[in-house]
Amino acid sequence: MLNDTPLKTKMILYTVLGVFLILTASTAVIISTVTTQEEKLAYQQSVEMASNYANQFDADMKANLAIARTISTVMTSYETADRDEALLILENLLLDNPLLLGTYVAFEPDAFDGKDAEYVNAPAHDETGRFVPYWNKMNGTVAVAPLLHYDDSDYYQLPKDTKKDLLTEPYFYEGVFMVSYVSPIIKNGEFIGVGGVDVSLEYVDEVVSEVRTFDTGYAFMVSNEGILLSHPTHKDWIGKKNLYDLGGEELKTASFNIKNGISGHIETTDPTTGKTVIMFYEPVETGDFAFVLVVPKEEMLAGVIDLRDRLLIISAISILFMAALAYMIARSVTKPINRIVDDFKNIAEDAVKGKLDVRANTHVEIDFREIPRGLNEIINSVVIPIRETMRVTNALAQGELKERVNVDVQGEFRELEDTLDKFSETLNMIIDDSTAVLTAFQHNDFKRSIRIHGQGDFKLLTDGIEETRLVLDRVTTQRREAEKALIEYARKLEHSNRLKEEMERIINNSPVIVFLWKYEEGWPIEFVSENVNRLGYEVEDFISKSILYADIVYPDDFEKVENELSRNVDAGFDAYNSEYRIFTKSGEVRWVDERTFIQRDEKDEIHLQGIILDITEHKKAEDALLQMEEIRKKEIHHRIKNNLQVISTLLYLESGNFSDEKVIEAFKDSQHRVKSMALVHEKLYQSEDMISVDFSDYIQNLANYLFGAYSVGGGDIKLKLDVDNVFLGMDTAVPVGIIINELVSNSLKHAFSEGESGEICICLKKEENEKDGKGTGRLDTGKGSKAGVPGKCFSLIVRDNGKGFPGDIDFRETDSLGLQLVVSLVDQVEGSIELDTSRGTEFRIRFRELKYRQKL
């Protein structure tokens, strides 16, 4: 191949290739060195940014811990022991530090001033009188309440046991994401209490969400366990999502390092944007947190890529310059050679034309002058043999195969003449034999074979004729067989086309629409059946990519559809069903049932094939049935209420047949109990969901009824209500209503003498179960933590300031049917009951809302 390449081209090629190799090697070294340094600098800048923010938040955490330590230090050296002054100190600390959510102290019994007995149930104190105030801004305003569950909760017991500072894990409390800092109060080497602060982590999310790096980089915070403490876009992930939930082996490695307080960075796919990013993480030592900086890789390395491109352009320009220089050098060398070659070419062309008297020009550069002289001598020595050979050749061309060479020459020219004579004889025999075979071809006879085989090129001729004969013979046979096969194939193809047309007709006439999606963003469609016009669309709308499948999914259902698809693909499932809404082309919303088949090819690429069926009418029928069910429930509660009213009336009428006051009283009590149950069903009938009762309104109505039934008007006996906005299910509302009926009835009948004034109080409060035990009225699990019993819990108090419950009677063992009923119903609602007779009669009942079991 190189022998056929011009000398000038070779010189240019070798020069450019050498320069190219040198520049390529040097440029590669330069690019590698410079880009590596630039890349290290980009990484170093990102690491320093993450470290600076981590140090900033570490300083904030240390400052908060320092406040807790300040509280414990002040209380350790506080000799005045003035509780009001201590409360003022805690309040001022809370007001002076806007980032704090609460401040508190908790002392051992009589450890503050030895006067616990004087402060029993005073503000910021509990029934023990211990100094346990908790100033907080939970509801937006500064308020104080006693700490709870300090005897068995970690926030108090751990500092007491270890005598060391405590920082809790982040947790939600009344919708606020927070942590607590607690420091023990040690006096004379003895533990006497704790001082602490609560800090909301919302400001962390506000600060971190504002962090930006490069063009689209952002940051977030995580806890030691990987829980998200902030996020610039997905606020619903805060406190609920873990780094493990975001997927990927790289994030698992990062979570492990964060848990062990190790800084570092990983390359991964951003779960929010889908871009390749570098994720830098730095520990926040004081809070066992970590600051995470997310930087898109292409933005971070944009400077590196720009520098590399510039170096490549410089190298390309250098190569072009050297190519031009090589061209100039090659041209100066090859120009005289080209003139000699042109002269040789002209002589050869004249010789081919029979002009053997032409000679080469010897007036050339001295370095090349011997070349045309030698050529002229060669021409002179070969003219005679060539002319004789031409004569014999012309005779052969005219069919005179007997003609021979007559010139006496020497050396290789003699061999040339002998060869020409032998050629004549061989050619004569080959032509005769080949003519016989070709004549047989004309009659479609391919059995006559070549009998005389020549040598060299003549052998190629005779072998070629023989191979042609064999091929023609074989082709003739194969052609007949191919004709039969083509006829059979045409028959099968026609049958297959008929089946395909029939299948398409069945699909297009069915209510089921067939789709073939790509597993890409927006789900572009590769195929859709023609009956998509049922939705108003044309096949071309989807095939042309002007409409993606994601465009027709109802926005409120899109996330559900996307999550179901991702979950089933990730789980390796082959198929799944889903119901959701889509838009028709006219904008109408329709319900569809989709059956999706997940296909994976040998390259592990995913394609989605599915069918959708319009189920809008089915959905409408379901909604109609639900409305009928709501009407049926209302009718049931209305009829139950009416029946109970009838029973109450019957009891009243029946009591008129008796004169015994005890019998009449028993009928009246039963009437009141029936009335309390009827009120529950009346409130259920009036409620929107027919499941829960507005219990504050219910208590007001029941108390008014009982005061009226016992002829208590606006005179001496007053009613005081302190009821939260509480909704209870029927399973809880009925027994609690009867309990209130019995206790209020007892107070009205027995607590006050004739003409005596007094007050009956009904108090119902919610007790939320949170991680933090500070606040009021939280049930305790007894597990040494701030956690409570799962579910909603309530505190019910019914008291009067009358003559008091008889001291010689155990209300749990009394013969009174009403109190027996109260004790039994308290057990039914999984509650507890206590009696306090220090100031009149007070029943304290704590109970849980029973889980409502819907009955069909």
Side-chain angles (χ1 to χ4, degrees), residues 50 170 238 355 399 406 710 764:
I238 299 175
K355 298 178 180 180
N406 298 321
Y710 287 98
L764 179 63

Side-chain angles (χ1 to χ4, degrees), residues 41 61 171 223 240 395 421 477 600 654 783 821 824 850:
L41 180 59
M61 299 303 172
Y171 59 90
S223 72
K240 300 176 183 178
D421 291 340
T477 304
R600 298 172 175 84
E654 188 64 23
K783 296 182 180 179
L821 189 58
S824 175
L850 301 179

Side-chain angles (χ1 to χ4, degrees), residues 715-776:
D716 296 326
I717 309 302
K718 297 181 179 179
L719 173 65
K720 180 181 179 182
L721 296 179
D722 184 9
V723 181
D724 285 348
N725 188 19
V726 173
F727 287 83
L728 296 178
M730 185 179 66
D731 290 349
T732 307
V734 171
V736 174
I738 296 175
I739 290 172
I740 295 173
N741 173 79
E742 296 301 325
L743 296 179
V744 174
S745 297
N746 278 347
S747 295
L748 290 171
K749 290 190 296 182
H750 306 298
F752 307 101
S753 301
E754 184 69 26
E756 184 180 1
S757 63
E759 181 182 79
I760 297 175
C761 178
I762 304 174
C763 178
L764 179 63
K765 298 291 182 181
K766 291 185 288 187
E767 294 186 352
E768 298 296 339
N769 295 317
E770 303 291 344
K771 289 184 177 181
D772 192 348
K774 302 179 287 294
T776 59

Side-chain angles (χ1 to χ4, degrees), residues 116-166:
D116 288 356
E118 299 177 12
Y119 291 91
V120 173
N121 290 325
H125 300 75
D126 56 15
E127 63 273 9
T128 67
R130 291 169 64 173
F131 191 44
V132 288
Y134 175 46
W135 283 95
N136 64 84
K137 296 185 287 189
M138 294 296 180
N139 297 321
T141 59
V142 176
V144 65
L147 290 170
L148 293 182
H149 312 307
Y150 43 77
D151 286 335
D152 50 15
S153 297
D154 289 344
Y155 78 95
Y156 187 88
Q157 295 301 323
L158 284 179
K160 179 179 179 179
D161 294 340
T162 63
K163 295 183 180 180
K164 295 180 179 179
D165 295 339
L166 172 68

Side-chain angles (χ1 to χ4, degrees), residues 337-367:
I337 297 176
N338 288 337
R339 286 202 300 268
I340 295 174
V341 171
D342 290 340
D343 199 14
F344 273 44
K345 183 179 179 181
N346 293 331
I347 293 173
E349 290 176 352
D350 289 340
V352 169
K353 296 176 182 178
K355 298 178 180 180
L356 299 180
D357 295 331
V358 179
R359 296 295 180 268
N361 182 14
T362 58
H363 298 288
V364 296
E365 284 80 353
I366 190 171
D367 294 329

Side-chain angles (χ1 to χ4, degrees), residues 177 220-222 226-231 237-239 241-243:
F177 204 36
F220 60 91
M221 290 273 286
V222 296
I227 301 297
L228 293 182
L229 306 183
S230 71
H231 199 278
W237 290 2
I238 299 175
K241 285 274 189 178
N242 192 293
L243 280 181

Side-chain angles (χ1 to χ4, degrees), residues 150-425:
Y150 43 77
D151 286 335
D152 50 15
S153 297
D154 289 344
Y155 78 95
Y156 187 88
Q157 295 301 323
L158 284 179
K160 179 179 179 179
D161 294 340
T162 63
K163 295 183 180 180
K164 295 180 179 179
D165 295 339
L166 172 68
L167 173 60
T168 67
E169 278 290 312
Y171 59 90
F172 278 100
Y173 173 61
E174 294 188 359
V176 180
F177 204 36
M178 66 169 67
V179 293
S180 296
Y181 299 84
V182 186
S183 182
I185 303 173
I186 309 297
K187 195 168 187 178
N188 298 326
E190 297 293 330
F191 173 85
I192 64 171
V194 300
V197 296
D198 288 344
V199 180
S200 170
L201 292 179
E202 291 181 357
Y203 89 97
V204 174
D205 180 53
E206 293 174 0
V207 173
V208 177
S209 296
E210 295 298 324
V211 175
R212 290 292 181 270
T213 178
F214 294 96
D215 293 333
T216 62
Y218 63 93
F220 60 91
M221 290 273 286
V222 296
S223 72
N224 190 35
E225 297 297 329
I227 301 297
L228 293 182
L229 306 183
S230 71
H231 199 278
T233 56
H234 293 284
K235 303 300 182 183
D236 55 329
W237 290 2
I238 299 175
K240 300 176 183 178
K241 285 274 189 178
N242 192 293
L243 280 181
Y244 288 102
D245 299 334
L246 303 182
E249 292 298 326
E250 302 86 359
L251 290 176
K252 292 182 180 179
T253 301
S255 298
F256 176 80
N257 290 340
I258 289 171
K259 186 173 183 181
N260 290 277
I262 302 172
S263 61
H265 63 270
I266 59 170
E267 181 175 332
T268 185
T269 300
D270 190 341
T272 302
T273 63
K275 295 181 179 180
T276 299
V277 297
I278 308 299
M279 190 175 290
F280 300 87
Y281 45 90
E282 288 290 334
V284 179
E285 180 180 352
T286 301
D288 284 339
F289 306 146
F291 179 83
V292 182
L293 186 67
V294 181
V295 183
K297 185 175 181 181
E298 62 179 8
E299 295 178 9
M300 188 177 75
L301 301 181
V304 177
I305 295 173
D306 181 63
L307 179 60
R308 182 195 63 193
D309 293 342
R310 291 184 181 183
L311 290 173
L312 289 175
I313 292 172
I314 293 172
S315 299
I317 294 173
S318 300
I319 292 172
L320 292 176
F321 175 77
M322 291 305 300
L325 182 60
Y327 173 79
M328 298 294 293
I329 295 172
R331 187 171 181 276
S332 65
V333 173
T334 59
K335 184 177 180 180
I337 297 176
N338 288 337
R339 286 202 300 268
I340 295 174
V341 171
D342 290 340
D343 199 14
F344 273 44
K345 183 179 179 181
N346 293 331
I347 293 173
E349 290 176 352
D350 289 340
V352 169
K353 296 176 182 178
K355 298 178 180 180
L356 299 180
D357 295 331
V358 179
R359 296 295 180 268
N361 182 14
T362 58
H363 298 288
V364 296
E365 284 80 353
I366 190 171
D367 294 329
F368 303 101
R369 194 168 295 165
E370 292 299 322
I371 295 175
R373 289 178 180 176
L375 178 61
N376 291 335
E377 293 178 1
I378 294 172
I379 293 174
N380 292 331
S381 63
V382 300
V383 168
I384 295 175
I386 289 175
R387 287 178 176 172
E388 181 62 17
T389 302
M390 289 172 59
R391 184 188 65 79
V392 175
T393 302
N394 288 331
L396 294 175
Q398 295 175 3
E400 298 176 1
L401 300 181
K402 303 297 184 180
E403 188 67 34
R404 298 293 181 268
V405 176
N406 298 321
V407 177
D408 185 15
V409 294
Q410 303 296 323
E412 293 182 1
F413 288 113
R414 180 74 238 178
E415 294 179 3
L416 173 63
E417 292 178 354
D418 293 342
T419 301
L420 184 59
D421 291 340
K422 186 176 181 181
F423 167 73
S424 299
E425 295 175 0

